[in-house]
Amino acid sequence: MDQLMDIYVNVEGPPGNHSKWTREIKSTESIYDKIDTLEPNSTGPALSGAGDVNKSSCRAAAVFLGLLCLLLLTGLITLVFLYTKRYSEWKMEKILFHNSYNNLTKELDHLQTSYNSLSKERDHLQTSSNNLAEERDQFKKGMVFHEEDSEVSMAYENFHARNVALQSCSGEDSKLTAAVPGIKLYRLVVVSFGLLCILQATLNISLRLALDTEASCKNLTEERDDLKRKLNNFDQLQTSYNNIISERHQLENNLTRQKDQYQTCYNELATEKNQLRRRVKNLTKERSDLQRKLRDQNDQQEWVYFSSSSYYISSIMKSWQESRDDCLQRGADLIIIDSEEEQEFTKRFQRLVWIGLTDRETEGTWKWVDGTPLTTRYWAPSEPNGAPRRDEDCAEIKAFNLKNSWNDELCYVQKFWICEKTSASKS
């Protein structure tokens, strides 16, 4: 430090700043002295507060992680909202794009029609211009008139008639001609007058042709200007048409890209749909298996065993044929009562039930569902009677408290039923 102070002292500075340097050196020295006096205190309350510092650090870290999770959740919700909004805007832009494309297609067709019409009109005007140009060239070559012009023809005919008359007079009146020397002068005057008439008619025709030519030139000039305007409009229309063509190509390219994107999405959706169908099919199969297993378990619980056979009493009512179909689906058939013990067994169910006995094949010939004829009978008194005008072709247990309890009934009536599964059918 003393050496540093000597260096600062020995350095020559600008006059008047020596005191300032001295103050800076002293302040620097005082700072270094304070730094040297600062020493870490390894003992004291710092060590006792280390646990509190660790707890505060853990709390701060927990708060920081909570804020970070909240920030991430907010960002995720914002992204979902922006995606939904963008998807809705994309659908709206797609609808507007299709509408614009249809409008541009209609406008293109209209411009194509206008373009064809203008092309035809341009060709017609070009033809008219060529014809008028040819007539103008003919007028420029010279004022040519024909014998069909009325005034020229009339003057010429008058002159020709007078000339013929003079010739006839000269042939017949030669003596008069010799006597009168002034007749030649008269002839000369007449010829001059005729020539003057022809010249006047020619001038009139030339003047009229000149006026017509001027009017035709004026009309040609107007038509030419009109044609130029139409050609300018046609050029503008052609430019617009080219712009529309380029826009249409661009739209077609965009539509092609969108079509490819839609096709890709469609293929992905079709694949996903097929996977879902297979999954639904598998789930349906699993559900059917579970339902079948559950039904089998329920059936096993609802079957009653008696004398080497199992019996099932229904909890709902159906017609005779529907009851038998249900028994067949369970691997059984409607009950066949072939013993007094089995007839007594049916009393325990205490219900009006269908049994497997019918005469639907032959009226009055009762047979069991397995095709065996009826031998053991437990008909109620005056049964079967086949009520008047009724086809009572199916048998039921009507008075279940009596031994003779059978009755014939209409087969479509809804009743409970009893299914029987013998040992043979169970095997």
Side-chain angles (χ1 to χ4, degrees), residues 68-120:
L68 182 60
C69 292
L70 181 61
L71 182 61
L72 290 176
L73 181 60
T74 305
L76 181 61
I77 294 173
T78 305
L79 288 176
V80 172
F81 173 75
L82 292 176
Y83 173 77
T84 306
K85 182 179 179 182
R86 180 56 186 164
Y87 180 74
S88 301
E89 292 177 354
W90 177 77
K91 289 183 70 176
M92 185 61 66
E93 289 177 358
K94 176 185 173 184
I95 295 172
L96 294 175
F97 172 77
H98 281 293
N99 294 332
S100 301
Y101 176 75
N102 295 329
N103 294 331
L104 287 174
T105 304
K106 292 180 181 179
E107 186 176 357
L108 178 62
D109 296 335
H110 180 69
L111 288 174
Q112 184 67 34
T113 305
S114 301
Y115 173 76
N116 296 330
S117 301
L118 288 174
S119 298
K120 292 181 181 179

Side-chain angles (χ1 to χ4, degrees), residues 318-334:
K318 292 183 179 181
S319 65
W320 188 88
Q321 186 61 46
E322 290 174 348
S323 301
R324 186 184 182 191
D325 293 338
D326 182 79
C327 292
L328 292 174
Q329 291 178 0
R330 299 174 186 274
D333 208 336
L334 288 174

